[in-house]
Amino acid sequence: MKKYAEITGWGKCLPPAVMTNDDLATFLDTSDEWIVSRTGISERRVSHVGTSKLATVAAQNALAAAGLNPDDIDLIIVGTCTADEIIPNVASAVQQNIGAPNAAAFDLNAACSSFLYAMHVATQAIQTGAHKKVLLIGAERLTRILDWTKRESAVLFGDGAGAMVLEASDEEVGLLASHISCDADARDVLSLDFGLSFDRFGFDGIMQFDFVGQEIFKRAVKGMNAAVEKVFQQTGLSTEDVDALIPHQANKRLIDYLAKLCKVPSEKTVINIQNYGNTSSATLPIAFCEAVENGTVKPGDTIVSAVFGGGLTCGAGLIRWGQRVTPVNPPIYELEPTDLTALDMIVPMHEKTAAAWAKRDK
């Protein structure tokens, strides 16, 4: 009998420090009106801890929702492009932090598409019988890698994490169809150089972030719409069968345009970018968590998701939710508190980067 990968647990982690658009305007040439009109973003979270801790809290809440012990998990996949370290991976830190000795653990970097890519991989691992209980996490600490002197990109991103537990099931639920792809000809329109190539030009502390907004918008909409059409073709379903659209939260105008192309009405489209900005791989699981919590996702609902990210990676998935929309145990796990405000953490980085640019420009 064919196995399916049911979503049995869901959880999130949102850092307590909030950076509003008005906060950004205290050190950038911008305003709340400028940011909201172009992106739909009003505020974002700034983390005082690393990506692995964000991922750990989200994972703990997802396990609680599923009613599972950590040693029940046999695979952990963390989608991220902001790992604490290059080696070892974030997934191994999560395994250690939650106490999951029976799990294999690896990171997956498809930028903002990472979580859907991970769900694609995990679902197939369950369907083949290789794994039975998989913990998926999307976690990012993007505020630590941004060039805070560049208004066009600095206002877009925030920190956070979300997680899901997938379990083998005989019911026709979970990710029923998916399509992932990569438009590598445009890989340079969204890129970040960490300085690892400093042998080429001499690393001076500036993380070179390239963001060609109009080209990204055009290719993202085209790629996501094509991926959505492919998952409809795989299942024989159509927009009339969709109860909710939960897309990557990159830009409000992009989401609205995608919903129009997919013929999904606004009342069925989940949007929370106004509260968190673009949290890259974490946007999808955070949005799913909130959609379940606020009743947007109901038992048995059919959901379409679409994502894109640096690379340019792209994908879509058709998901059928199971019958349970309440957690077995409530989400009680939180980050350790901090007295630092978002400005306390960001302004020093802005000043350091501005000084580095001034030195380079001499």
Side-chain angles (χ1 to χ4, degrees), residues 269-293:
T269 304
V270 173
I271 301 176
N272 65 1
I273 191 173
Q274 67 276 9
N275 299 323
Y276 311 123
N278 181 350
T279 57
S280 188
S281 68
T283 69
L284 213 59
I286 291 173
F288 265 91
C289 283
E290 296 196 337
V292 175
E293 290 167 355

Side-chain angles (χ1 to χ4, degrees), residues 170-201:
D170 294 329
E171 300 296 322
E172 192 176 357
V173 292
L175 187 66
L176 302 185
S178 57
H179 177 79
I180 58 175
S181 63
C182 183
D183 181 9
D185 288 341
R187 67 187 302 272
D188 294 330
V189 302
L190 203 174
S191 63
L192 173 70
D193 193 320
F194 272 102
L196 297 178
S197 308
F198 56 83
D199 57 312
R200 289 189 288 114
F201 55 82

